[in-house]
Amino acid sequence: MNDIADPGVRFGRIAAMLPVKDMAKACDFYIGALGFRKTFENGNPVGFMILKRDGGELHLTLQPRHEAADFNIAHIMVNDVDAVHDACQRYGLRIIKSLQDKDYGLRAFVFADPDGNRIDVGQPI
């Protein structure tokens, strides 16, 4: 029997790790615009940070030479996707895929955060 596939093993918290070039700029967006709160930071200067909001958790890691991927690196489920979309627009972020109702049952959009990380945001219809 494969121990990893053991149905008795339970997984706990899994969080997206987002690379950022500028920790202060990332915090300004995730804390200031989206309302996350900082629950942990490490280093001087800060090289790692944990942000939480409700059941969501993001880990930011300082990567000064970060080059953003051309695919989504995180998916966030929310109860008001229109409000998150509006916050991203007010912040001046690039919207990669426009807000729309999808045939798979989500109202969703994709944005690029201040470091170019593509984040998919959805709400069940």
Side-chain angles (χ1 to χ4, degrees):
M1 175 179 209
N2 183 339
D3 290 337
I4 295 173
D6 182 344
V9 174
R10 299 288 180 238
F11 286 76
R13 176 182 77 183
I14 297 175
M17 176 75 72
L18 302 181
V20 300
K21 290 182 181 179
D22 181 329
M23 193 65 77
K25 189 174 182 181
C27 285
D28 180 57
F29 171 65
Y30 285 104
I31 294 172
L34 294 187
F36 280 82
R37 70 186 191 292
K38 178 175 42 174
T39 61
F40 178 81
E41 69 179 25
N42 188 30
N44 186 15
V46 175
F48 176 77
M49 185 178 294
I50 296 175
L51 303 176
K52 292 184 180 182
R53 176 160 180 185
D54 306 314
E57 183 172 322
L58 294 173
H59 294 190
L60 305 181
T61 180
L62 185 61
Q63 300 294 317
R65 293 183 300 276
H66 168 61
E67 301 271 339
D70 61 355
F71 53 86
N72 300 346
I73 66 164
H75 179 77
I76 301 172
M77 293 295 289
V78 298
N79 70 345
D80 190 345
V81 71
D82 292 270
V84 176
H85 182 266
D86 291 348
C88 290
Q89 286 189 314
R90 280 192 307 276
Y91 198 83
L93 296 180
R94 183 168 61 110
I95 303 299
I96 307 293
K97 291 185 180 179
S98 63
L99 181 62
Q100 54 188 285
D101 293 344
K102 304 291 188 175
D103 59 0
Y104 47 83
L106 289 181
R107 181 163 175 77
F109 75 102
V110 176
F111 71 91
D113 77 359
D115 288 283
N117 297 308
R118 292 181 179 208
I119 312 293
D120 182 16
V121 183
Q123 173 185 353
I125 296 172

